[in-house]
Amino acid sequence: IFSGNGKYRGFDVLSTANNHSFDMGEAGVHSTIQFLQKKGIAWCGTTSNSEERNHITMIERKGISIAFLAYTFSLNKHALPADKEWLCNHLQLNTEDADISTIVADAKQARLIGADIVVAALHMGCAYQVYPNMHTVHNMHRICKQANIDIILGGHPHNMQPLEILETTDEATGITKQHFISYSQGDF
């Protein structure tokens, strides 16, 4: 499905942060990144070295700069090496009032380097559920508001979940903004 029987299928950027990111350990992270580099596809969520961790994935289309960020709540009981936590953006997103400071900092950095739109791929929620749980809804709302994320693309439940247009008002400026949330896009 991905390669289109050996032909590039039009993927521009992919999230590599999900519960399977570390199934094959550090070597798997590196080989995935090398594959995407060979295909000319940008990625976000995993990195090959500590310097790349602070790199923001950006693409430009028709004069609009779009930043992509990606995070996962789980690594299937695997643990990143203590000295290599930069391999994958692993955050405890499925907990009530999750620490989202990393997302806030990354989104702020994306805006500073010129992102017009910030997209966050969030691998979180409960697998095979029709609707997101309250922690997921609450945390995605917080992420939109505190990190000023424009679009959230949710994943992990393996089936479609509701879409939402969330309106927030910046307390400092009084400006109202809309954020698009896809709680789960389902499978490919």
Side-chain angles (χ1 to χ4, degrees):
I1 293 171
F2 178 82
S3 68
N5 296 321
K7 292 185 178 184
Y8 178 71
R9 296 286 280 188
F11 291 96
D12 295 314
V13 61
L14 293 175
S15 166
T16 53
N18 60 66
N19 58 303
H20 296 288
S21 295
F22 213 64
D23 286 359
M24 296 297 164
E26 185 175 349
V29 171
H30 293 300
S31 66
T32 299
I33 290 170
Q34 290 166 358
F35 173 82
L36 294 173
Q37 286 174 324
K38 279 195 273 185
K39 294 286 187 182
I41 299 170
W43 74 94
C44 54
T46 57
T47 56
S48 294
N49 57 59
S50 60
E51 292 79 33
E52 284 180 6
R53 169 54 189 91
N54 296 319
H55 170 77
I56 303 292
T57 300
M58 298 261 288
I59 62 171
E60 186 175 317
R61 295 294 184 269
K62 298 183 180 187
I64 299 170
S65 294
I66 307 164
F68 291 88
L69 310 174
Y71 310 87
T72 183
F73 81 100
S74 172
L75 293 173
N76 288 343
K77 298 186 182 180
H78 296 288
L80 297 169
D83 61 337
K84 295 183 179 181
E85 291 181 342
W86 43 261
L87 282 165
C88 183
N89 291 337
H90 180 223
L91 303 175
Q92 298 301 315
L93 295 172
N94 272 10
T95 59
E96 187 174 2
D97 294 318
D99 179 358
I100 60 171
S101 60
T102 299
I103 301 171
V104 172
D106 291 348
K108 183 177 182 180
Q109 179 61 26
R111 299 283 183 192
L112 287 174
I113 62 173
D116 299 307
I117 297 171
V118 179
V119 178
L122 301 178
H123 197 80
M124 61 189 289
C126 296
Y128 308 108
Q129 299 300 309
V130 178
Y131 295 99
N133 64 37
M134 291 312 297
H135 293 324
T136 299
V137 173
H138 176 70
N139 286 332
M140 285 191 182
H141 284 193
R142 289 176 52 235
I143 290 165
C144 284
K145 185 171 182 161
Q146 293 176 32
N148 192 22
I149 299 295
D150 297 290
I151 300 169
I152 290 180
L153 302 174
H156 183 67
H158 293 282
N159 56 345
M160 293 291 294
Q161 288 186 346
L163 307 174
E164 179 181 6
I165 302 291
L166 174 69
E167 277 197 10
T168 62
T169 302
D170 185 302
E171 293 172 8
T173 65
I175 296 173
T176 299
K177 179 176 180 169
Q178 291 186 330
H179 312 264
F180 175 79
I181 301 171
S182 171
Y183 284 98
S184 176
Q185 302 172 88
D187 291 338
F188 253 52

